[in-house]
Amino acid sequence: MPALAAMTRQRLEKLEQESLRRNFVISEPEKGIDVRRNGRTLVSFGTNDYLGLSRHPNVKKAAAKALERYGAGAGASRLIAGNHPYYAELEALLCRAKNTQAALVFGSGYLASLGVIPALVKKGDVVIADRLIHSSLIDGIRLSGATLCRYSHNDLNSLNNILNNNINNKTIIITETVFSMDGDLAPLQDMRALADRYGAWLMTDDAHGFGVVETPRVADIQMGTLSKGVGCYGGYVCADKETIEYLKNAARTLIYSTALPPAMVAGSCEAVRMILDGDGEVLSALKKALLFTSLLNLPQAQSAIVPVVFGETEKVLRASALLEEAGFYVPAIRPPTVPKNTARLRFSFSALHRDKDIEKLAQIVKDVRCAC
Ligand SMILES: *Cc1c(COP(=O)(O)O)cnc(C)c1O
């Protein structure tokens, strides 16, 4: 066997032994919220398309019209010839949604994070981040060269202590608004007060909040994605005019990457407009999650995400398989996506879920928790 294949095979075997090997499964969207996997139709609790906007007729129509008019690809980066007219429309809508002077759309949420953080801080500066922030933010911080300090999850005392130890540094505090694997909310008002007391900046990632829960718009830098509640693809950052103008000149993932396809940006425009107008069943993803947590006597859902922690990876894989047998797709989330010994089922609720499916699911989850 060639040396490269021998090495990668060995690594795969190690992952396999730890129940950490991952594989693609073909997932074909079917009617409503259903998905076809492994030859069976399942009710999906694994999508971040919280409002069902990815398949909303208005969003599809807007995307199709743009595709017809401008073609499949943007053809160049935004600073060259790729800045098609839908961008200005989308950025104006995002300013409205986030109550900021300016907005800037990136290729994805991941690219926004990798572009924005290194543009603002560098070696010698300090980033103070919640212990549970998303890997895309961690990668942005690493790329910047800034020193990363992590505070205990949503713990203001822990944050305060770290701020106090870094009084002389240029500092950004980074949190998610809605935590992606736990579904809980950051104490943003209190964090704003702490940031002001120490002269630090506050940056939030609203990937799982936008369109689902209203969170305080108090951060200096509000980033997020167009790929979840908005149902399309892309990332964004909203801030004051100067910061956005600077990012156009300094965020390398924006400068050196091709603009998003016109159809994607046009689709996002329509979806954001619907969220702003309160059309797309806004907030009802939360209602579905609340039904589930009340049926199972779990702590009340704060967002569309509800975790049920099993601890060991083998257990959670079995639980996920049992749910699949019963007709439900619920992804098992394992380390390194979540901390060791906190492997979990992650239920994502959507406005498209039917109450009767949630009732059936809750009953089966009760049985599965006993069996695993
Ligand atoms: C999904 C996600 C991202 C990445 O967004 P993409 O547009 O999918 O690249 C960033 N941050 C958080 C918290 C996320 O959950």
Side-chain angles (χ1 to χ4, degrees):
M1 193 185 298
L4 177 63
M7 177 190 77
T8 49
R9 171 194 269 203
Q10 201 179 23
R11 290 186 184 175
L12 283 171
E13 278 165 2
K14 179 155 180 288
L15 288 171
E16 189 86 51
Q17 278 160 16
E18 296 166 344
S19 298
L20 293 178
R21 179 164 176 179
R22 302 160 191 243
N23 275 307
F24 289 138
V25 173
I26 293 176
S27 302
E28 187 183 6
E30 291 197 330
K31 221 167 61 254
I33 192 82
D34 292 349
V35 64
R36 196 161 180 82
R37 286 168 64 92
N38 300 318
R40 297 190 45 223
T41 296
L42 307 169
V43 183
S44 176
F45 289 87
T47 175
N48 301 317
D49 183 13
Y50 299 117
L51 308 174
L53 289 176
S54 76
R55 302 162 81 189
H56 192 284
N58 297 0
V59 175
K60 290 200 289 187
K61 214 177 292 165
K65 198 175 132 203
L67 178 74
E68 201 47 52
R69 186 160 177 192
Y70 294 132
S77 73
R78 292 189 65 183
L79 288 166
I80 306 299
N83 195 39
H84 50 76
Y86 298 114
Y87 270 114
E89 191 182 337
L90 180 55
E91 285 165 352
L93 286 161
L94 290 167
C95 288
R96 254 178 73 202
K98 301 289 170 177
N99 198 23
T100 55
Q101 291 177 339
L104 187 60
V105 171
F106 284 72
S108 70
Y110 197 159
L111 288 172
S113 180
L114 291 191
V116 170
I117 299 170
L120 298 176
V121 286
K122 57 181 191 316
K123 198 166 176 320
D125 300 329
V126 172
V127 176
I128 305 179
D130 189 288
R131 178 151 299 282
L132 296 187
I133 56 165
H134 193 259
S135 295
S136 59
L137 296 163
I138 297 290
D139 290 351
I141 298 163
R142 284 198 183 132
L143 193 58
S144 77
T147 302
L148 170 59
C149 301
R150 307 186 81 171
Y151 60 94
S152 310
H153 177 52
N154 278 348
D155 183 338
L156 294 165
N157 280 329
S158 169
L159 172 59
N160 187 64
N161 289 342
I162 296 176
L163 280 164
N164 207 11
N165 288 336
N166 288 283
I167 277 176
N168 298 320
N169 298 100
K170 184 157 90 177
T171 302
I172 303 186
I173 303 167
I174 302 186
T175 184
E176 290 177 39
T177 56
V178 174
F179 280 84
S180 62
M181 294 300 144
D182 294 77
D184 55 348
L185 311 182
L188 292 180
Q189 301 283 13
D190 292 334
M191 293 180 69
R192 177 74 263 174
L194 275 183
D196 289 344
R197 184 179 324 151
Y198 289 98
W201 299 313
L202 181 62
M203 173 170 172
T204 50
D205 182 346
D206 196 33
H208 297 278
F210 196 22
V212 180
V213 277
E214 283 291 332
T215 53
R217 295 172 297 198
V218 292
D220 303 288
I221 304 143
Q222 302 181 59
M223 66 157 278
T225 177
L226 301 162
S227 328
K228 289 171 180 159
V230 177
C232 295
Y233 196 72
Y236 64 84
V237 53
C238 295
D240 63 83
K241 235 185 291 177
E242 285 71 23
T243 301
I244 294 298
E245 283 309 309
Y246 171 68
L247 289 174
K248 289 177 189 171
N249 292 272
R252 296 171 62 83
T253 55
L254 178 91
I255 299 169
Y256 298 108
S257 188
T258 299
L260 282 165
M264 227 6 56
V265 183
S268 292
C269 285
E270 185 57 30
V272 172
R273 208 177 285 119
M274 289 177 68
I275 289 172
L276 281 169
D277 295 347
D279 277 356
E281 293 284 286
V282 177
L283 297 184
S284 69
L286 177 58
K287 272 192 222 148
K288 303 289 176 180
L290 283 167
L291 171 62
F292 181 73
T293 51
S294 77
L295 288 169
L296 281 171
N297 283 324
L298 293 169
Q300 207 176 56
Q302 295 176 276
S303 69
I305 301 162
V306 178
V308 173
V309 175
F310 285 75
E312 293 164 33
T313 50
E314 294 80 8
K315 277 190 189 168
V316 80
L317 291 175
R318 248 191 67 218
S320 180
L322 287 172
L323 285 171
E324 182 160 341
E325 272 171 37
F328 298 101
Y329 172 55
V330 184
I333 310 287
R334 295 169 279 172
T337 306
V338 291
K340 269 204 178 118
N341 301 317
T342 70
R344 65 196 66 185
L345 292 175
R346 177 181 182 272
F347 297 85
S348 297
F349 290 87
S350 156
L352 298 183
H353 282 124
R354 287 165 301 228
D355 288 356
K356 70 172 172 44
D357 286 329
I358 294 174
E359 284 156 15
K360 193 172 154 211
L361 173 73
Q363 186 53 51
I364 294 164
V365 170
K366 271 185 202 161
D367 300 342
V368 165
R369 279 175 96 181
C370 295
C372 291

